Amino acid sequence: MTSKHCGDWGISGVYKPEQRKTIFHYWSRRYLATLLIGLILIAAGSVWWIKKTTVDHRLNLMHIVGQEIADRIVTTNGRILSGPLFEEILRNRAGELDVSEIPAALIVTDQGEILVTNQRGGQIRNAGDYVDESLYKTTESVVSLDRNQRAYVISEPVESGEETLGYVVLVNDKETLSRLNQEYGLLALLLGGVGLLGWGVIYYLTRQLSKPLKETARAARRVSEGSYDIQMSSPPKEKELAELMDSFTDMAAKLKQLEEMRTELLAGVTHDLKTPVTSMSGLIQAVKDDIVEGSEAKEYLDLSLKEMERLQVMIQDLLSFNTYAAGALPMYKKHQPLRPILTHFQKQWQSDPDHIQLDVQFPEEEMVLPVDDHRLKQILFNLVQNADQAVQEGKVMIDVTRDASHLIMNVSDNGPGIPEEEQPLIFERFYRGKNKKLKQRGLGLGLPLSRMLAEAQGGKLELTRSSENGTIFTLKLPLHEV
């Protein structure tokens, strides 16, 4: 039993991806089905309309033929000619009626007696018989024939002066009047042509639509396999597809850049963490082995402590960033005045004689805002430290202003500025500029962490300007709780 269950799990536990159809097959079939349904509805409506208009047209012609017969069979002395004249007229007008069979014709008196008919063999009535008054007193009517057939009856009066002598009655079955083989053939040819043209357009458009999507899917597959060198064809004319391809190309370029940064990070972090450890190990080993003594040994220990502090800062930055990225970094905001916070930070910074000069321009009015003073000092320290590393001579300035709802702090220096191609990347985690990573050790987390801390307090941090004349970072924090 155990082995059987294990075998079942081995077979049924394998995930089988759903077989999906391509956009071309999926949508082209649906477009074709929609086209066919539309053509069928158009065909049905057209057949109904053609039948109706054709029957109306032929009934009007039958009225005209009936009127002609009624006018020509009356003699000058007011009598009805009962000869074959009306049959001759019917034969002559058969082409105008455009029917396969000549209509059945009757000439009846005003009493309903049949004088003459073109029907042989008694298919309708014989001469001398009488017909119902409804057949000749009504201008146009519909009657039922044998075998459930229906026929149209047209009646036109035979008049002499103001006297009605009789009636010309024409009868034709409904099927004969509505028979239109040629028109139906033309309709079928027209709809067939429209269907073929529509399918051709659908085929072409669907292929054009699926082509850039297929190319993007292939490119995505290459990216998932680790290849970020994506060469896409010229973007299509459709705005949405062009934006999709451009966005994917930009994403692939960004991933390639991040992959290069990750590779550099692994090498850089390994080097930056290993260097102080190696240095401390060598310095302490020299003191232990009595290679150095007295004041020189104390200097070696001081150097070891500084290396230890640098190592602690890097590790703390990494831990703080990971903690905040995971949403676990606490924020303790409270309403407090800004001046004491900046004054304390300035004194802390200037306590190290190796630091560059820092000037703070305080506003005339005291500002109170909801802020975590520890995190604010952390942001300012990262900004000022970056300026300190970039400026050889000069000073760093913090200029404080406000608008209606925000505190605005501009941290500026007179350094050489950040290269233009590096400016979009300075807030990326682990990114370090080419010049900086050759001169300064670090993990490249100062600015990304500072932006996160600003956003966590409802504010934002951005690079306002950077040129050969200096760099300005702007920190905005809300003056009221958000």
Side-chain angles (χ1 to χ4, degrees):
M1 289 297 292
T2 304
S3 61
K4 179 179 180 181
H5 283 297
C6 292
D8 290 341
W9 277 106
I11 296 174
S12 61
V14 177
Y15 172 72
K16 295 182 179 179
E18 181 182 354
Q19 295 295 326
R20 299 184 181 275
K21 298 179 181 178
T22 63
I23 286 181
F24 174 74
H25 288 91
Y26 186 86
W27 284 110
S28 62
R29 293 180 180 180
R30 280 157 177 77
Y31 290 151
L32 179 59
T34 303
L35 176 64
L36 292 177
I37 292 173
L39 291 177
I40 290 172
L41 294 176
I42 292 173
S46 299
V47 167
W48 175 84
W49 183 80
I50 290 174
K51 279 186 176 182
K52 183 179 182 304
T53 55
T54 301
V55 170
D56 291 342
H57 175 65
R58 287 176 175 171
L59 288 175
N60 290 332
L61 289 177
M62 286 175 65
H63 278 288
I64 295 173
V65 172
Q67 291 171 2
E68 182 181 359
I69 294 173
D71 292 339
R72 295 179 62 179
I73 64 174
V74 179
T75 63
T76 56
N77 58 0
R79 296 184 61 187
I80 298 177
L81 293 175
S82 59
L85 177 61
F86 80 102
E87 293 189 46
E88 181 182 349
I89 297 174
L90 283 175
R91 285 194 298 270
N92 293 337
R93 297 292 182 263
E96 297 178 8
L97 290 174
D98 192 24
V99 291
S100 58
E101 299 178 4
I102 297 176
L106 307 171
I107 298 178
V108 300
T109 66
D110 58 347
Q111 302 298 320
E113 180 184 0
I114 300 176
L115 296 178
V116 65
T117 176
N118 68 340
Q119 296 297 297
R120 303 292 183 263
Q123 294 180 8
I124 297 182
R125 294 292 179 90
N126 297 314
D129 291 344
Y130 287 85
V131 297
D132 297 333
E133 187 179 90
S134 60
L135 293 179
Y136 61 87
K137 286 295 181 73
T138 304
T139 304
E140 184 177 313
S141 59
V142 180
V143 298
S144 297
L145 302 177
D146 296 337
R147 298 184 300 276
N148 295 324
Q149 292 182 341
R150 297 175 67 80
Y152 286 97
V153 179
I154 299 299
S155 176
E156 291 294 335
V158 180
E159 297 176 338
S160 177
E162 296 182 358
E163 182 183 3
T164 300
L165 304 178
Y167 297 90
V168 176
V169 180
L170 301 178
V171 182
N172 212 339
D173 64 271
K174 190 174 182 179
E175 182 181 353
T176 301
L177 288 178
S178 60
R179 189 176 298 152
L180 287 170
N181 296 330
Q182 183 177 2
E183 283 76 1
Y184 293 157
L186 291 175
L187 177 62
L189 182 62
L190 175 63
L191 293 180
V194 172
L196 290 176
L197 177 62
W199 168 241
V201 172
I202 289 170
Y203 181 86
Y204 173 77
L205 293 180
T206 308
R207 285 188 66 86
Q208 291 298 110
L209 175 66
S210 61
K211 188 184 298 182
L213 296 178
K214 286 182 178 179
E215 184 177 1
T216 306
R218 288 193 296 268
R221 197 174 297 112
R222 292 199 300 271
V223 170
S224 68
E225 293 170 355
S227 176
Y228 302 106
D229 293 322
I230 303 300
Q231 297 294 331
M232 306 285 277
S233 62
S234 58
K237 296 179 181 179
E238 295 84 354
K239 178 182 177 182
E240 293 80 0
L241 295 177
E243 289 178 350
L244 173 64
M245 295 182 70
D246 291 342
S247 298
F248 187 85
T249 303
D250 294 341
M251 183 194 70
K254 193 72 171 291
L255 288 174
K256 180 180 180 181
Q257 194 173 53
L258 291 176
E259 180 66 18
E260 293 174 352
M261 289 169 54
R262 186 183 68 85
T263 304
E264 291 183 4
L265 169 68
L266 292 176
V269 169
T270 301
H271 176 267
D272 289 340
L273 294 180
K274 182 180 179 181
T275 299
V277 172
T278 303
S279 177
M280 287 187 297
S281 177
L283 292 171
I284 295 174
Q285 189 67 39
V287 175
K288 179 182 177 182
D289 295 340
D290 296 328
I291 298 176
V292 293
E293 297 178 349
S295 60
E296 190 176 5
K298 183 179 179 181
E299 182 181 353
Y300 271 41
L301 291 176
D302 289 339
L303 291 174
S304 298
L305 288 175
K306 288 185 177 181
E307 291 296 324
M308 178 68 72
E309 290 175 358
R310 291 193 183 97
L311 182 60
Q312 287 176 335
V313 169
M314 286 189 289
I315 294 175
Q316 184 60 41
D317 284 347
L318 185 59
L319 291 175
S320 297
F321 185 87
N322 289 335
T323 302
Y324 183 79
L329 188 64
M331 280 286 167
Y332 301 102
K333 294 196 299 180
K334 60 181 180 179
H335 284 80
Q336 50 189 316
L338 178 65
R339 185 182 292 271
I341 299 175
L342 294 182
T343 301
H344 184 261
F345 172 75
Q346 186 180 24
K347 290 180 179 179
Q348 282 184 318
W349 178 263
Q350 299 291 16
S351 63
D352 189 338
D354 294 334
H355 283 167
I356 195 171
Q357 180 183 348
L358 173 63
D359 288 344
V360 180
Q361 297 292 329
F362 292 101
E364 295 181 359
E365 60 175 323
E366 182 60 85
M367 285 186 286
V368 178
L369 69 161
V371 69
D372 185 330
D373 57 333
H374 173 68
R375 300 304 178 190
L376 176 58
K377 291 176 184 178
Q378 192 174 354
I379 296 172
L380 294 175
F381 179 82
N382 288 329
L383 295 176
V384 176
Q385 186 180 47
N386 282 345
D388 186 20
Q389 294 170 354
V391 177
Q392 300 298 327
E393 294 181 0
K395 62 181 179 179
V396 181
M397 180 175 290
I398 300 178
D399 184 23
V400 183
T401 59
R402 61 166 296 173
D403 59 17
S405 58
H406 286 84
L407 164 75
I408 302 174
M409 283 189 283
N410 291 315
V411 181
S412 58
D413 62 60
N414 59 351
I418 303 171
E420 185 175 355
E421 66 274 9
E422 295 182 4
Q423 292 179 16
L425 303 172
I426 59 173
F427 289 105
E428 295 290 341
R429 60 191 70 181
F430 305 117
Y431 178 78
R432 300 173 66 200
K434 293 181 180 179
N435 296 330
K436 186 174 181 178
K437 64 184 177 182
L438 296 176
K439 299 178 182 179
Q440 302 289 337
R441 291 201 298 267
L443 300 179
L445 292 175
L447 288 177
L449 179 60
S450 296
R451 170 171 276 188
M452 285 185 174
L453 294 175
E455 292 174 351
Q457 299 181 81
K460 62 180 180 178
L461 174 65
E462 56 187 10
L463 175 64
T464 305
R465 178 180 62 83
S466 186
S467 65
E468 59 185 10
N469 297 321
T471 300
I472 299 177
F473 283 92
T474 299
L475 172 64
K476 287 186 176 182
L477 294 172
L479 290 172
H480 309 287
E481 195 70 51
V482 294

